[in-house]
């Protein structure tokens, strides 16, 4: 590619990004007020297709290894809590009610849970067992993970990586940088551009998660106890916040305490409706 066309491609990519043509917001605000424009260059259809294939592969492997929904009691808890949370998702996006939601439990020591694009949820037994999670706490974690899918954070992250790699690749060619220099620039881009967005995504998922839980009749304050348990389990070994892809435990607890109070009336209203 000649230098002229490289320059045109580079400037076109920059123009798309900074004129806002590729930005969108996929969700309604909810009570917590999440309303941030997001860079979306990757199609949602491609993300959903990839998520479906990935989830199917993971579930099939768990079946073969005998680790899928092995603990019947906890598997039923996961599915019941998901069943209660899913009807609340239109608060943030109307199309979510038509997603092909699914929730499964995988036997593993990992302290992890996730929700892929399109509503494919997995909990690992380790996070339930080691943290001795209550239903309210499971709902807090699940609400958080569902919020990632509702906000299309995976799609946003993929788009950010596309932009970073595109600019670095074209910019390196234009400037005559060698591969080692380009790799270093990629690392700098990661901690100065991509990392803050990742923290922002985590905070958004926290806020939306407590609202989903509250609307479904789960105590939003349970999110606070989850991170207090996580803090205790980490024994202070988590990295400094400015080098972490997640907010620090203390920051998270402080923010969740505030937002749990914001959505508490929703929780109380849900309890009254259930009592009728």
């Amino acid at each position: 590619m000649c230098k002229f066309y490289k320059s045109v491609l580079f400037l076109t990519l920059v123009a798309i990004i900074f004129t806002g043509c590729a930005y969108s917001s996929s969700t309604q605000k909810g009570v917590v007020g999440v309303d941030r424009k997001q860079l979306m260059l990757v199609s949602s259809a491609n993300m959903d297709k990839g998520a479906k294939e990935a989830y199917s592969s993971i579930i099939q492997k768990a079946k073969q290894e005998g680790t899928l929904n092995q603990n019947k009691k906890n598997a039923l808890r996961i599915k019941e809590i998901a069943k209660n949370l899913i009807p609340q998702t239109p608060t943030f996006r109307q199309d979510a009610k038509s997603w092909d939601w699914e929730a499964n439990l995988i036997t593993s020591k990992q302290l992890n849970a996730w929700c892929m694009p399109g509503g494919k949820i997995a909990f690992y037994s380790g996070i339930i067992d080691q943290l001795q999670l209550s239903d309210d706490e499971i709902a807090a974690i699940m609400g958080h993970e569902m919020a990632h899918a509702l906000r299309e954070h995976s799609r946003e992250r993929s788009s950010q990586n596309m932009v970073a790699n595109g600019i670095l690749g074209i910019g390196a060619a234009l400037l005559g940088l060698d591969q080692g220099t380009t790799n270093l620039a990629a690392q700098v881009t990661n901690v100065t551009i991509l990392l803050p967005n990742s923290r922002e995504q985590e905070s958004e998922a926290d806020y939306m998660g407590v609202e989903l839980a509250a609307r479904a009749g789960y105590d939003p304050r349970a999110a606070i106890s989850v991170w207090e348990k996580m803090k205790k389990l980490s024994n202070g070994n988590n990295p400094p916040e400015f080098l972490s892809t997640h907010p620090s435990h203390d920051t998270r607890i402080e923010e969740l305490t505030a937002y749990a109070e914001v959505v508490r009336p929703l929780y109380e209203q849900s309890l009254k409706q259930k009592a009728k």
Side-chain angles (χ1 to χ4, degrees):
M1 185 185 294
C2 72
K3 187 172 182 180
F4 171 76
Y5 287 111
K6 288 177 182 176
S7 300
V8 171
L9 184 57
F10 177 75
L11 292 174
T12 300
L13 182 59
V14 172
I16 289 173
I17 297 165
F18 291 101
T19 57
C21 296
Y23 284 81
S24 66
S25 181
S26 58
T27 55
Q28 292 91 249
K29 293 182 180 180
V31 170
V32 294
V34 174
D35 185 30
R36 175 178 61 86
K37 295 295 182 182
Q38 298 167 276
L39 178 65
M40 298 297 194
L41 297 175
V42 181
S43 75
S44 58
N46 284 340
M47 292 299 298
D48 289 347
K49 181 181 179 181
K52 187 175 181 179
E53 292 176 357
Y55 192 76
S56 177
S57 177
I58 291 169
I59 295 303
Q60 187 60 37
K61 181 181 178 182
K63 285 181 180 178
Q64 292 172 352
E65 295 177 348
T67 59
L68 182 66
N69 299 321
Q70 191 176 46
N71 185 317
K72 301 300 182 184
K73 181 180 178 180
N74 281 340
L76 286 173
R77 289 174 72 198
I78 294 299
K79 292 178 184 295
E80 184 64 23
I81 291 168
K83 182 181 176 181
N84 293 331
L85 288 174
I86 291 166
Q88 315 308 321
T89 58
T91 297
F92 293 104
R93 54 184 304 157
Q94 286 296 318
D95 65 325
K97 59 186 176 184
S98 64
W99 288 4
D100 186 19
W101 291 93
E102 186 176 345
N104 286 289
L105 176 69
I106 298 174
T107 302
S108 170
K109 293 182 180 180
Q110 293 184 57
L111 272 73
N112 200 12
W114 42 262
C115 180
M116 287 185 175
K120 302 301 185 183
I121 303 167
F123 261 71
Y124 292 90
S125 59
I127 195 168
I128 298 175
D129 297 338
Q130 293 187 54
L131 297 184
Q132 293 293 296
L133 296 177
S134 66
D135 284 1
D136 288 326
E137 290 170 333
I138 290 175
I141 295 171
M142 189 178 293
H144 171 94
E145 300 305 331
M146 290 168 68
H148 279 307
L150 293 171
R151 278 293 278 173
E152 296 188 279
H153 284 157
S154 294
R155 183 181 170 204
E156 180 182 21
R157 189 74 169 174
S158 295
S159 299
Q160 291 170 336
N161 287 337
M162 179 187 293
V163 170
N165 291 334
I167 289 179
L168 285 170
I170 298 169
L174 288 172
L175 298 173
L177 300 177
D178 59 27
Q179 189 62 42
T181 306
T182 305
N183 289 338
L184 177 60
Q187 293 178 41
V188 174
T189 300
N190 186 52
V191 296
T192 58
I193 298 175
L194 301 181
L195 185 56
N197 285 334
S198 182
R199 288 193 205 132
E200 194 166 35
Q201 290 172 346
E202 286 298 320
S203 293
E204 285 178 347
D206 278 347
Y207 308 156
M208 291 170 65
V210 293
E211 181 165 346
L212 288 171
R215 288 181 180 276
Y218 296 102
D219 192 339
R221 293 169 295 185
I224 303 167
S225 62
V226 166
W227 286 102
E228 288 174 339
K229 289 180 179 181
M230 290 291 283
K231 179 181 178 181
K232 184 177 180 180
L233 198 64
S234 71
N235 294 318
N237 292 325
N238 53 312
E241 184 172 0
F242 70 92
L243 288 178
S244 172
T245 57
H246 290 58
S248 70
H249 295 320
D250 289 337
T251 296
R252 205 158 205 165
I253 290 169
E254 181 181 350
E255 292 178 350
L256 283 169
T257 299
Y259 275 88
E261 285 304 309
V262 171
V263 301
R264 191 170 178 177
L266 297 174
Y267 167 58
E268 294 171 349
Q269 182 181 358
S270 179
L271 293 182
K272 289 179 181 178
Q273 291 175 344
K274 288 182 178 181
K276 291 181 179 179

